[in-house]
């Protein structure tokens, strides 16, 4: 089942995942100067989906 199917199958307004991290660490991993995996980032819910999302974050 791909991501779109999982989201459609869920049928709720609840988030698939929740990502929590200290704001002070965001400038480093949010700009890919360091990996979010090495930061104090906590994921609950669909860890695979959130990880794929965080891998694409690059604020410039």
């Amino acid at each position: 089942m791909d991501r779109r199917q999982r989201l459609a199958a869920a049928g709720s307004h609840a988030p698939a995942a929740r990502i929590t991290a200290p704001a002070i660490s965001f400038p480093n991993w949010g700009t890919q100067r360091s990996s979010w995996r090495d930061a104090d980032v906590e994921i609950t819910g669909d860890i695979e989906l959130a990880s794929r999302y965080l891998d694409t974050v690059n604020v410039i």
Side-chain angles (χ1 to χ4, degrees), residues 22-34:
I24 196 154
S25 69
F26 178 74
N28 283 327
W29 62 263
T31 57
Q32 294 190 353
R33 284 182 269 171
S34 65

Side-chain angles (χ1 to χ4, degrees), residues 31-53:
T31 57
Q32 294 190 353
R33 284 182 269 171
S34 65
S35 173
W36 65 268
R37 296 171 192 277
D38 297 329
D40 188 19
V41 176
E42 180 182 325
I43 300 171
T44 55
D46 189 334
I47 294 171
E48 179 185 343
L49 178 64
S51 295
R52 286 187 304 183
Y53 169 75

